[in-house]
Amino acid sequence: MFTEIPRGQLASLVAELAGAWSAAGEGRRFEARGGTRRRAAGAGGRYRLVFVDRLVATLIHLRHDLPHAVLAVLFDVDRSTVTRGTGELRYLPAQRGFAVPDRPGLRLRTLEDVFAYAQAEGVELRLDATEVQVRRPVAGRGGRWPFVSGKKKQNTMKATVIADHRGRTLWFDTMRPGRDHPGQAVTPPRKPRPGALPGRVEQWERDRHWHSSDRITVEHALADHKRWKQLMRWTHRRDRLPDAYRAIAGLVSDRTNTA
């Protein structure tokens, strides 16, 4: 399947989100008409793109970043139907939280949940950040420089991810502009200059190995996220990236936390 999500996981996702989508739609209609419905249940227009198709289109868009025009051809509808359908649904996967290892049905929805779970289960948390390339801000608009990454020399936004010792995603924090933040991260030890004393080189090797071993599991989690094409390079509005990343991280946690 285009989504590359197992059928069982997709069926569970449909069952989980269908009620929330229906309630949200009824809320929008209630506001639009200024009160309760005036027609009998079942009356009125029909969706050209039903809920399951909207969800699948949204997942394909997240996984492969296909344009809405291509998705419209796949589902045999107008492009505007896809744009409206995915726009109404894309925030729902972002609100699901993160799967708890070996605890089906439970999800971590706040940072307090993550810390409480780690303390109760004796889990050592691993935290790291990753950058997603984004569009350059409009010329002449203030605040362009914070997006220029000192590491990548590109316009990026930075996400903070928490994983456990097995590389399973437990949390994603809100994104911020990708400029480096000195003193806010533990970076690999600097390589000694040529001609350094043997003892200094040996100490550097030990420190580097310790840092790499401690970091590798969360690096695996970040690699799982970057397999979704939208996180390789974000080409849409920057204010929509946090929800997209949160949705993808939650979907990745569904798979890795049951592996």
Side-chain angles (χ1 to χ4, degrees):
M1 183 177 288
F2 284 121
T3 63
E4 300 182 27
I5 294 177
R7 291 181 179 272
Q9 181 183 339
L10 183 59
S12 298
L13 192 62
V14 169
E16 178 184 346
L17 298 181
W21 177 77
S22 179
E26 184 57 39
R28 289 192 299 269
R29 290 188 290 270
F30 183 90
E31 291 184 2
R33 61 182 173 244
T36 57
R37 65 180 302 142
R38 298 168 186 171
R39 294 181 177 181
R46 298 289 188 274
Y47 287 115
R48 291 291 306 277
L49 200 63
V50 298
F51 168 71
V52 174
D53 290 341
R54 291 181 182 218
L55 178 58
V56 171
T58 301
L59 295 175
I60 293 175
H61 188 50
L62 289 171
R63 170 68 78 170
H64 301 290
D65 203 19
L66 291 183
H68 288 175
V70 175
L71 292 172
V73 173
L74 289 176
F75 288 91
D76 192 25
V77 295
D78 188 77
R79 183 194 61 78
S80 62
T81 301
V82 173
T83 300
R84 183 173 61 254
T86 56
E88 292 175 354
L89 193 141
R90 65 170 176 262
Y91 70 93
L92 287 179
Q95 297 178 342
R96 300 174 59 236
F98 302 88
V100 179
D102 305 319
R103 300 288 182 86
L106 296 180
R107 305 194 73 84
L108 305 174
R109 302 183 186 277
T110 67
L111 195 56
E112 289 75 13
D113 291 344
V114 177
F115 291 145
Y117 160 73
Q119 184 176 12
E121 301 293 331
V123 174
E124 182 180 352
L125 300 178
R126 311 289 175 86
L127 182 147
D128 201 358
T130 186
E131 292 179 288
V132 179
Q133 185 179 354
V134 297
R135 288 179 175 178
R136 178 185 298 177
V138 178
R141 180 176 296 177
R144 297 180 72 191
W145 67 272
F147 290 93
V148 180
S149 168
K151 176 181 178 181
K152 294 182 175 292
K153 310 303 181 184
Q154 297 172 335
N155 287 267
T156 66
M157 292 186 70
K158 187 174 293 183
T160 301
V161 174
I162 297 177
D164 66 8
H165 62 288
R166 292 178 57 185
R168 299 178 294 193
T169 299
L170 299 176
W171 180 253
F172 156 80
D173 197 4
T174 186
M175 305 194 74
R176 61 185 187 275
R179 180 176 62 85
D180 290 343
H181 299 266
Q184 297 185 19
V186 179
T187 56
R190 290 182 177 273
K191 185 175 182 178
R193 294 178 179 274
L197 295 175
R200 175 69 184 89
V201 176
E202 293 175 2
Q203 182 62 47
W204 171 75
E205 287 284 1
R206 288 193 296 269
D207 292 344
R208 183 183 62 83
H209 182 268
W210 172 84
H211 185 273
S212 299
S213 299
D214 206 38
R215 185 180 178 186
I216 190 64
T217 53
V218 70
E219 287 288 345
H220 288 164
L222 297 177
D224 283 336
H225 303 168
K226 293 297 182 70
R227 290 191 178 97
W228 293 65
K229 190 173 180 180
Q230 283 203 347
L231 297 185
M232 296 179 184
R233 184 176 185 273
W234 181 258
T235 59
H236 312 284
R237 289 173 48 178
R238 294 194 305 275
D239 60 347
R240 293 179 178 175
L241 176 55
D243 276 349
Y245 202 121
R246 188 173 289 106
I248 290 171
L251 291 165
V252 168
S253 78
D254 291 337
R255 179 178 62 82
T256 58
N257 287 346
T258 55

